[in-house]
Amino acid sequence: MGKFSRLGNDLYTGRRSINFVGRTRIWYAISGLIIVAAVLGLYFKGLNFGLEFRGGAQFTVTMPTGQATQDNADKLRDDVAGTGIPSTQQVVVTTAGKNNIIVETEPLTPTESNQVAAAIEKSVDVNKAAISTDEIGPSWGKEVAKRSATGLVVFLVLVVLMIWGYFRQWKMSVAAMVALAHDLVITVGIYALSGFEVTPATVTGVLTILGFSLYDTVVVFDKVRENTKNLRASHQTYAEAANLAVNQTLVRSINTSIVALIPVAAILYVGAVQLGSGSLKDLALALFVGMAAGAYSSIFIATPLLAHLKSLEPDVQELEKRLKARRRHEVDRYASVPAYTEDMPIADDPDEARLRTAREEQTAAARSGGNRPQPNTEPSGRGRVVPPSRGPVRPSSASGRSQPTRRSKSKRGKK
């Protein structure tokens, strides 16, 4: 943990940096492959909508302890389909824990429902009290699907308005929405490939993971906005400041995701392995896949896409050009010195010119008989002019007079 803490501190201060923004093509390629697999799963297998969406009849059979096995489930499937009722030809039989077997069929009439219940009693040798029946009409399933889609659309609209109102940048809203769509497609594709039923619990899980993904993206974007508030003073490009923001929030995103995924993974194991079919399993799968995809998209999709969109702005491009030119100059300060060419004008060496002037002054002084040269009246120093002398220095009458001495203030009045 000590090394991990030091790594987090180095990433936050910028001593170490992982180039997330500069490797956009790699992340886009990985996400593209996952999305293609998800879309293919949706196209070829489709979603396995639960009874609440398609409507039908559900028989829950309570078996003696240890008898809710796959062999009994297969026997029930054959016996129910053997009743000859058209609605039972696509029967779905699953185990739920160690004591329950669930039989799902298309909508049945009361007479057909009684026939199926009798076939179940005879198949696994249970009494009528061990069978519970639930009937769900197709109209109710359509209403559930309609309300779920409406809730999803309203959620996405509110997300766009919230991000735009908070950051006041439409490009951040676009990047966040792309990340949300990325997480949604992957989650739905995993459901299609795994064959898990889509129930109202699944819709609840999808809305939850979209909120989780949005939360993680907003945290990263808030750090991006803080780092890019004054780019000219920080001497960084927008991409570099955004990449620093991802590195600064990386450890936090990893810790948050791990802490959230561990209990969800435990719920998924209990729901899928221990309890079998049920809403707990559907909810846990949506949460697990969505949280993992949300953590990935906030780091590898949302921020690199935002940096790419901002790089198209003229101000950002102009700043990048200035910083590149400045860095080239700092690397080699003599890079701007022109190279020698044959047609360059010839100029005297300043050092040789000064030496020549000094020799000329010495020669002139020697020719004047060794007399002291006249003082230079040209400006020197801070622009002052040396005053010309009025005549030779002569002895003064005050030369023998005693000069006053400086005494302290306390002794000036004393003699």
Side-chain angles (χ1 to χ4, degrees):
M1 292 301 294
K3 292 182 178 180
F4 191 71
S5 300
R6 287 194 295 272
L7 174 62
N9 184 63
D10 291 343
L11 291 174
Y12 191 88
T13 57
R15 293 175 187 159
R16 292 189 184 183
S17 180
I18 303 174
N19 192 8
F20 294 105
V21 176
R23 298 172 180 172
T24 6
R25 294 183 178 180
I26 298 177
W27 316 136
Y28 289 170
I30 294 174
S31 297
L33 291 176
I34 298 175
I35 290 175
V36 167
V39 172
L40 291 177
L42 283 170
Y43 180 78
F44 288 105
K45 295 190 65 175
L47 291 174
N48 181 20
F49 287 100
L51 195 67
E52 294 84 356
F53 289 101
R54 68 176 187 269
Q58 176 177 293
F59 300 87
T60 303
V61 184
T62 303
M63 304 288 294
T65 303
Q67 293 189 15
T69 61
Q70 188 60 42
D71 292 338
N72 285 330
D74 294 339
K75 184 179 180 183
L76 274 174
R77 181 184 299 107
D78 296 337
D79 292 342
V80 170
T83 57
I85 301 173
S87 299
T88 61
Q89 300 307 307
Q90 301 294 330
V91 62
V92 177
V93 182
T94 57
T95 59
K98 297 180 179 180
N99 298 328
N100 295 324
I101 298 178
I102 297 177
V103 180
E104 295 180 353
T105 66
E106 296 180 4
L108 300 172
T109 62
T111 304
E112 293 173 343
S113 180
N114 293 332
Q115 293 179 5
V116 172
I120 293 174
E121 293 177 19
K122 184 178 180 181
S123 176
V124 292
D125 193 18
V126 295
N127 54 29
K128 190 174 182 180
I131 303 174
S132 61
T133 307
D134 294 320
E135 294 283 346
I136 299 176
S139 59
W140 190 85
K142 292 179 180 179
E143 185 67 21
V144 171
K146 181 180 178 181
R147 291 182 180 273
S148 300
T150 303
L152 182 61
V153 172
V154 171
F155 176 82
L156 295 178
V157 171
L158 292 177
V159 164
V160 173
L161 294 177
M162 190 276 291
I163 296 179
W164 178 83
Y166 183 71
F167 293 107
R168 299 297 178 89
Q169 294 186 22
W170 66 269
K171 292 177 181 176
M172 285 190 173
S173 299
V174 171
M177 290 305 300
V178 171
L180 285 177
H182 169 273
D183 302 339
L184 182 62
V185 171
I186 290 178
T187 304
V188 174
I190 293 296
Y191 258 88
L193 292 173
S194 63
F196 276 42
E197 281 189 349
V198 178
T199 63
T202 305
V203 178
T204 304
V206 169
L207 294 177
T208 304
I209 60 101
L210 291 180
F212 181 87
S213 173
L214 175 65
Y215 169 75
D216 209 21
T217 303
V218 167
V219 170
V220 180
F221 280 4
D222 194 54
K223 198 64 181 177
V224 171
R225 184 177 63 172
E226 178 182 342
N227 290 353
T228 58
K229 186 177 297 182
N230 192 1
L231 286 176
R232 296 183 183 275
S234 62
H235 303 298
Q236 289 181 318
T237 64
Y238 192 96
E240 291 171 347
N243 189 74
L244 176 62
V246 178
N247 282 271
Q248 289 174 331
T249 57
L250 178 63
V251 174
R252 177 205 162 280
S253 298
I254 293 175
N255 290 337
T256 304
S257 301
I258 291 176
V259 170
L261 286 174
I262 288 176
V264 173
I267 295 173
L268 179 61
Y269 173 78
V270 172
V273 178
Q274 299 295 327
L275 300 180
S277 178
S279 59
L280 190 65
K281 177 187 67 174
D282 304 331
L283 176 63
L285 180 63
L287 290 176
F288 187 85
V289 176
M291 286 181 177
Y296 171 82
S297 64
S298 63
I299 297 173
F300 298 96
I301 301 299
T303 308
L305 179 59
L306 173 62
H308 176 73
L309 293 175
K310 293 292 289 187
S311 66
L312 303 177
E313 296 182 0
D315 294 342
V316 176
Q317 293 177 352
E318 182 66 22
L319 179 61
E320 290 181 357
K321 291 180 182 178
R322 291 180 180 178
L323 288 175
K324 288 179 180 179
R326 179 174 182 175
R327 290 169 183 175
R328 284 197 301 267
H329 178 70
E330 290 177 352
V331 171
D332 186 3
R333 295 183 180 274
Y334 298 99
S336 59
V337 177
Y340 174 77
T341 57
E342 294 294 338
D343 56 348
M344 289 183 66
I346 300 175
D348 294 334
D349 189 351
D351 295 334
E352 293 183 359
R354 284 195 295 269
L355 291 174
R356 189 183 309 113
T357 303
R359 285 195 297 267
E360 292 176 354
E361 291 178 353
Q362 292 176 0
T363 303
R367 290 178 180 175
S368 62
N371 295 331
R372 185 177 180 181
Q374 296 295 326
N376 185 16
T377 59
E378 294 296 328
S380 61
R382 298 183 179 178
R384 299 173 181 174
V385 178
V386 180
S389 60
R390 298 181 179 179
V393 179
R394 298 176 181 176
S396 174
S397 59
S399 59
R401 187 184 305 169
S402 60
Q403 301 295 322
T405 60
R406 184 176 182 84
R407 293 187 300 175
S408 62
K409 188 175 182 181
S410 60
K411 296 180 179 180
R412 288 178 187 176
K414 298 180 181 179
K415 293 184 180 179

